[in-house]
Amino acid sequence: MPDQAENLRQFVQQHAQRARVIAVSSGKGGVGKTNTCVNLGIALAQKGARVVLLDADLGLANIEVLLGINSLYNLQHVVSGQQSMMDVVVDGPGGIQVVPGSSGIAKIADLGPNARNNVLAGLEELQRHADFILIDTMAGIGQNAVAFAIAADEVLLVTTPEPSSIVDAYATIKTVFHQRPDAQFKVIVNQVMNKQQAGAVAHKIADVTGRFLGRNVSFAGFIPRDPRVMQAVMQTSPYILRYPTAPASRAVATIASRLNETPREKRRGQGFLQRVAETFRVAKSA
Ligand SMILES: Nc1ncnc2c1ncn2[C@@H]1O[C@H](COP(=O)(O)OP(=O)(O)O)[C@@H](O)[C@H]1O
Ligand SMILES: [Mg+2]
C-alpha cells in the first residue's frame, strides 16, 4: 500500500527527533565559555544524551586544546567539501563527540555558496546523530560571532560578575534580539563567589533587557569560582571528569539536569538549518 508507506514516511520525517541546538556564547572572551561548553556537554552525556560539541571559535584556547585532542580533520574540510561532517567528528572524553574548529566555520557569515551548502549539509547530518549540539561560539557582537546564536534553538550566555563581562553580555543580547526577536536566552553566571552574587548578576541582566529591549532572558544557573577548574585545564582534562565532586562540577551537573528536563521550546516556523541559511542571506545583504 504505497499511500500508507508514504504517510508513514511523512510521519517519521515530521516526528524525527532532531538535535536541540544550543549556542554557548559570551560578550567577552575569557569568561569560561569553552570550559562551560565542554563540561556541560559531558554532564548531558552522563544523563544519557548524545552530545556533539561544535567548535566555532577562532580563539587559541579552543576545545581541542582544552581536551588535548589532535585531529586530522576539522570543519575546514567540511567547508571545502573534502570530508563529510561525520568523518570529521572525533570522540572526546566522557562520551561526547567533537567537531574540531577552524577559521573556515568561524567566518560563517562570509562563506560563498558552495561552502555554505557544504556547511548546511554537514549540520543536517549532525542533527540526525545527536540529541544536543552545543556550539562554542566566538565572543563579541560581530556578525560571525552572533551568527550561531541567531540560528540556534537556545543561547546559553556565559558571563562573570565583572561589570565589563555583564556590559558585553548585554551587548550580545541586544545584537541577537535585533536580528532574532524570538531568541531564547539562558544566562549562566560563571566564576561567582556564591549563589547570591549569581542571582544579583542574573537579575541585573534580566532587568536591563526587560527595560530597554522589552524582552525576557532566563537564568540557567551558576558555576562557582573553583581552583579545580584551572587545575583541570592544566591537565587537559575536563573538571567534571577529573574532579567530579568539586563545586564547579556539581554546579554544571545541576545546569545539565535542568536543561535536560526542560523540553525543547515549542516554536512554530523555521528550524536551525533554515535559520543558518537565513544568516548567510543577512550577511550577504549587510
Ligand atoms: N568556574 C571557574 N572557576 C575558576 N576559574 C575558571 C572558571 N571558569 C573558567 N575559569 C578560568 O578561566 C579560563 C578561561 O576559560 P575558557 O573556558 O577558556 O574561557 P573562554 O572560552 O570564555 O575564553 C580557564 O582557563 C580557567 O583558568
Ligand atoms: Mg573559548
Side-chain angles (χ1 to χ4, degrees):
M1 295 216 274
D3 272 3
Q4 241 177 6
E6 177 60 18
N7 286 344
L8 185 65
R9 194 184 60 77
Q10 278 182 3
F11 178 87
V12 169
Q13 259 181 6
Q14 281 160 10
H15 293 80
Q17 203 49 56
R18 296 257 165 181
R20 202 164 139 186
V21 182
I22 301 180
V24 182
S25 303
S26 69
K28 193 170 165 290
V31 298
K33 182 162 47 68
T34 302
N35 272 277
T36 302
C37 193
V38 164
N39 288 279
L40 186 63
I42 293 172
L44 286 166
Q46 288 174 340
K47 295 177 194 313
R50 294 172 303 165
V51 179
V52 179
L53 306 188
L54 194 148
D55 190 356
D57 193 359
L58 264 175
L60 293 176
N62 58 21
I63 292 177
E64 269 182 286
V65 174
L66 194 63
L67 297 178
I69 293 176
N70 211 334
S71 67
L72 195 53
Y73 300 118
N74 60 44
L75 273 165
Q76 184 56 46
H77 298 93
V78 179
V79 171
S80 66
Q82 286 166 277
Q83 300 289 334
S84 79
M85 188 68 99
M86 297 323 287
D87 293 329
V88 169
V89 170
V90 291
D91 288 332
I96 57 168
Q97 291 190 301
V98 177
V99 179
S102 77
S103 53
I105 191 104
K107 292 183 181 153
I108 184 162
D110 307 330
L111 296 179
N114 288 339
R116 85 178 58 155
N117 284 339
N118 293 337
V119 169
L120 286 172
L123 291 173
E124 190 173 8
E125 231 182 320
L126 213 54
Q127 276 212 299
R128 279 186 266 117
H129 286 85
D131 299 311
F132 286 93
I133 298 175
L134 301 185
I135 306 177
D136 188 9
T137 72
M138 274 195 278
I141 57 168
Q143 195 57 37
N144 282 311
V146 297
F148 283 109
I150 287 163
D153 296 318
E154 294 148 66
V155 187
L156 282 176
L157 189 67
V158 183
T159 182
T160 71
E162 285 181 17
S164 60
S165 175
I166 297 175
V167 168
D168 288 354
Y170 175 68
T172 296
I173 291 172
K174 189 174 169 184
T175 305
V176 172
F177 270 135
H178 184 66
Q179 295 182 55
R180 176 89 191 274
D182 68 339
Q184 303 286 332
F185 275 102
K186 298 191 168 97
V187 174
I188 294 181
V189 192
N190 187 28
Q191 306 193 36
V192 298
M193 286 185 306
N194 52 45
K195 192 177 171 178
Q196 285 68 32
Q197 188 184 33
V201 172
H203 181 265
K204 189 176 256 170
I205 293 174
D207 181 52
V208 173
T209 306
R211 263 194 295 148
F212 295 110
L213 304 177
R215 309 223 167 258
N216 294 322
V217 294
S218 55
F219 179 44
F222 67 93
I223 305 168
R225 174 177 278 284
D226 185 340
R228 293 297 199 195
V229 174
M230 207 217 260
Q231 284 175 27
V233 169
M234 299 301 287
Q235 295 158 335
T236 55
S237 174
Y239 56 78
I240 197 163
L241 294 177
R242 178 69 71 139
Y243 305 110
T245 59
S249 303
R250 292 184 190 280
V252 159
T254 303
I255 295 172
S257 295
R258 273 194 222 129
L259 213 56
N260 206 21
E261 282 156 19
T262 331
R264 177 201 294 265
E265 314 274 347
K266 281 224 165 44
R267 233 172 298 135
R268 272 164 277 120
Q270 300 175 320
F272 172 64
L273 290 171
Q274 281 80 20
R275 288 190 300 261
V276 173
E278 182 68 17
T279 304
F280 290 128
R281 283 209 307 134
V282 171
K284 261 214 128 173
S285 59

